Amino acid sequence: PHIKVKKICCIGAGYVGGPTCTIIAAKNPDIIVTIVDINQARIDAWNSDNLPISEPGLDEVVKSCRGRNLFFSTDVDKAIHDADLIFVSVNTPTKTKGMGAGYAADLGYVESATRRIAQIARSDKIVVEKSTVPCRTAQNMRYILEANSKAGIRFDILSNPEFLAEGTAVSDLMNPDRVLIGSLKTESGRAAAASLADVYASWVARDQIITMNLWSSELSKLAANALLAQRISSINALSAICEATGADIEEVSYACGLDTRIGPKFLKASVGFGGSCFQKDILNLVYLSESLHLPEVAAYWKQVVDMNEYQKRRFSNRVISSFFNTIYGKKIAILGFAFKKDTSDTRESPAITLVNHFRTEGAQIAIYDPKVQESQIWIDLTEPGVMDDLTEVQKQVSIAKDAYAACDDADAVIICTEWDEFRDTVLDYKLIYDHMKKPAFVFDGRLILNKTRLEDMGFQVGTIGRAT
Ligand code: NAD
Ligand code: UGA
């Protein structure tokens, strides 16, 4: 017999906790869902008309259940106290200091959330790891919970990794490929998994809700991200061969993707992958492999990240060499600053790396992105705590109000994010061309432009995975 969940608390109102628990609330009107965070500004934004994250379709779902059975609050303790199931959906960034710096996941936030649960709990709790964590983290959580809680309280720990992608979070959550629940193979572990499965079964078919052992579930999340990123690095490695030979990466990717064993998705060559997770999770896997004394395995996965760095560097070098190796004083328009379209998230965005490369070369840079806030761009381009750094950056970088303003009088236009509004069927590239310096260059880092069409207008076109 397993309990029916009535109250859910989600610790962490970020890109994952917010949308995931909003959908859970929308699909389970009989469950009270409270999403909590220590960040007051973030909670205030969730309670306003201006949500802290931008995802197609999210506003409508939040509005449909906020104040009914969905609540956003900074009262972490009350939400923990009342809940029978608690998602831990806090950030797990790469450690910047100490043992494992640059590779290992910083589990400090997971630990402090876990300690809080232990301290506050007065009744049995199902604790669910939603954050992406190294394999066997649940064991450490159990240790902390059991060492710090009142006698007689049961904690069942589940792993329930999230597979949503930003920009498509709502549709990914509404129609997931699978929901994964890992538990101990004990009676109470299985019962806890069944309770969580019921929550998802309100809208996900039972055969898509998969249960397995806790460690497999934890590792499957790192594995899935590593495999996805590996496909991108593989196609990007091939794009370099295409540029040198006259093969076309889109044709190669199409030809390979038709093989049903390979499949067509995630084979789009690009200026490099970004986002908060691919690099972080692979480095985490590299660290895990090193700790398990598996250096060959670590080196294998590390190469996926190295190839991504190489791709970004290769792309900026191509821009620089097109200008006879100097872009000093030249104006470069950067179209798109988010790490992918339909999100305002800029974490690990390749645009940041490119702007830094171009700054080092002395270029003048104008940036336009339809969703990213100006203040975020300045944060991303400055070193925290360095005096006058912003003033220095602003000598070379400006932010434009639209694509036309960014491209006005520019020597080169660079597509960094594949926003639909940058396609040549939407944006008036003839107008842009007329207002640029000549020769006018456009570099397509996202394969969204029709090369021939732009060449007919007079542009010099540099495309990832195609010879010029
Ligand atoms: P995020 O930084 O957007 O959100 C995390 C939130 O947790 C922050 O608002 C922070 O203030 C809050 N927090 C931290 N410690 C807390 C505490 N002790 N009590 C209360 N709140 C606390 O991070 P995110 O992008 O939502 O990612 C969360 C986890 O989910 C990570 O492990 C990530 O790897 C994983 N993940 C992310 C994505 C994605 O698309 N972003 C997808 C799948 C999995
Ligand atoms: C990724 C995974 O797709 C999700 O399943 C996972 O839950 C999530 O990481 C996570 O753990 O955080 P996300 O990073 O939001 O999601 O977005 P993706 O669509 O995977 O794109 C990541 C990066 O790869 C973007 O910069 C994108 O432009 C790039 N990409 C993607 C390519 O360059 N080529 C492709 O073919 C696909």
Side-chain angles (χ1 to χ4, degrees):
H2 59 272
I3 67 145
K4 173 156 175 27
V5 174
K6 296 198 187 71
K7 287 194 177 170
I8 290 179
C9 160
C10 173
I11 306 182
Y15 287 87
V16 169
T20 307
C21 286
T22 293
I23 303 297
I24 288 179
K27 298 291 186 180
N28 292 280
D30 53 332
I31 300 181
I32 308 278
V33 178
T34 307
I35 306 179
V36 293
D37 205 292
I38 41 180
N39 181 335
Q40 180 76 53
R42 219 165 196 187
I43 291 299
D44 290 346
W46 279 110
N47 280 321
S48 75
D49 285 338
N50 209 355
L51 301 185
I53 66 175
S54 153
E55 281 291 339
L58 183 61
D59 291 40
E60 292 75 12
V61 197
V62 169
K63 276 193 191 125
S64 73
C65 46
R66 191 173 56 193
R68 180 191 73 182
N69 66 323
L70 173 66
F71 302 92
F72 295 92
S73 165
T74 49
D75 194 345
V76 179
D77 293 357
K78 179 173 187 319
I80 291 176
H81 178 272
D82 293 351
D84 23 47
L85 183 146
I86 303 170
F87 285 104
V88 176
S89 188
V90 300
N91 36 329
T92 51
T94 306
K95 271 183 89 169
T96 53
K97 286 190 285 214
M99 201 169 88
Y103 288 90
D106 179 351
L107 294 176
Y109 303 96
V110 171
E111 179 174 340
S112 70
T114 310
R115 283 183 183 274
R116 206 72 217 150
I117 297 171
Q119 234 164 44
I120 299 299
R122 293 292 176 275
S123 57
D124 296 352
K125 309 282 179 200
I126 299 173
V127 178
V128 185
E129 286 174 349
K130 187 50 116 175
S131 300
T132 302
V133 290
C135 196
R136 292 200 81 86
T137 299
Q139 184 162 316
N140 301 342
M141 288 173 76
R142 166 175 310 282
Y143 193 53
I144 292 169
L145 288 170
E146 287 175 356
N148 293 285
S149 56
K150 291 251 172 316
I153 296 181
R154 281 190 55 80
F155 294 100
D156 283 295
I157 303 176
L158 301 175
S159 156
N160 172 224
E162 184 49 59
F163 296 102
L164 70 81
E166 287 178 32
T168 52
V170 173
S171 64
D172 291 346
L173 287 163
M174 295 281 195
N175 299 298
D177 287 347
R178 77 305 206 185
V179 166
L180 179 55
I181 302 175
S183 73
L184 288 181
K185 294 290 170 205
T186 58
E187 200 181 320
S188 71
R190 284 181 211 271
S195 296
L196 180 58
D198 283 353
V199 172
Y200 283 105
S202 299
W203 80 99
V204 182
R206 285 281 176 185
D207 62 359
Q208 284 176 304
I209 304 175
I210 304 174
T211 52
M212 60 176 63
N213 107 31
L214 202 45
W215 323 123
S216 308
S217 170
E218 288 178 336
L219 187 58
S220 297
K221 173 62 198 179
L222 293 184
N225 272 0
L227 288 167
L228 289 168
Q230 183 203 40
R231 278 173 75 94
I232 304 171
S233 277
S234 298
I235 207 76
N236 283 345
L238 291 165
S239 77
I241 300 182
C242 289
E243 286 166 38
T245 55
D248 178 335
I249 195 63
E250 285 192 285
E251 293 183 345
V252 173
S253 151
Y254 176 65
C256 295
L258 286 176
D259 186 323
T260 53
R261 294 168 303 175
I262 297 173
K265 294 181 182 167
F266 258 71
L267 285 184
K268 186 131 184 133
S270 67
V271 60
F273 59 73
S276 63
C277 291
F278 278 171
Q279 174 173 310
K280 158 176 89 67
D281 293 347
I282 292 174
L283 294 175
N284 187 341
L285 193 60
V286 169
Y287 185 71
L288 182 70
S289 312
E290 294 276 8
S291 333
L292 298 169
H293 307 291
L294 302 168
E296 288 82 0
V297 179
Y300 176 77
W301 288 112
K302 177 70 168 39
Q303 192 56 33
V304 173
V305 172
D306 292 347
M307 181 53 64
N308 197 47
E309 289 305 312
Y310 169 75
Q311 184 75 350
K312 289 186 274 184
R313 172 52 77 186
R314 207 171 65 75
F315 185 75
S316 42
N317 285 352
R318 191 169 169 197
V319 173
I320 297 161
S321 62
S322 303
F323 287 101
F324 311 105
N325 291 329
T326 174
I327 54 169
Y328 186 89
K330 297 216 162 62
K331 179 176 173 187
I332 305 219
I334 300 280
L335 297 190
F337 201 75
F339 81 97
K340 63 185 281 196
K341 74 170 179 177
D342 293 339
T343 176
S344 57
D345 194 352
T346 60
R347 291 179 289 180
E348 304 295 337
S349 178
I352 301 172
T353 315
L354 293 184
V355 169
N356 287 335
H357 286 169
F358 297 145
R359 271 194 67 209
T360 318
E361 298 285 333
Q364 291 295 318
I365 299 142
I367 300 170
Y368 168 68
D369 187 284
K371 274 273 169 16
V372 178
Q373 292 194 342
E374 240 183 71
S375 53
Q376 185 60 47
I377 297 181
W378 297 130
I379 290 171
D380 289 332
L381 295 179
T382 46
E383 293 278 345
V386 178
M387 279 263 286
D388 294 333
D389 196 31
L390 182 59
T391 323
E392 281 306 307
V393 172
Q394 288 178 339
K395 286 181 186 159
Q396 281 179 272
V397 183
S398 62
I399 297 171
K401 66 174 193 328
D402 60 28
Y404 298 106
C407 300
D408 188 43
D409 209 28
D411 295 274
V413 174
I414 303 197
I415 307 285
C416 286
T417 314
E418 71 283 19
W419 287 102
D420 290 338
E421 65 172 76
F422 298 154
R423 290 183 178 277
D424 53 65
T425 44
V426 185
L427 204 58
D428 186 346
Y429 279 89
K430 182 73 183 75
L431 186 67
I432 287 179
Y433 178 81
D434 290 342
H435 288 86
M436 284 176 68
K437 292 214 182 68
K438 306 294 166 342
F441 284 87
V442 58
F443 295 93
D444 182 3
R446 292 294 187 168
L447 295 172
I448 59 167
L449 301 178
N450 181 325
K451 187 169 188 274
T452 321
R453 203 161 161 243
L454 291 180
E455 280 170 350
D456 290 346
M457 291 177 194
F459 278 107
Q460 304 289 313
V461 185
T463 307
I464 286 277
R466 279 177 82 165
T468 4

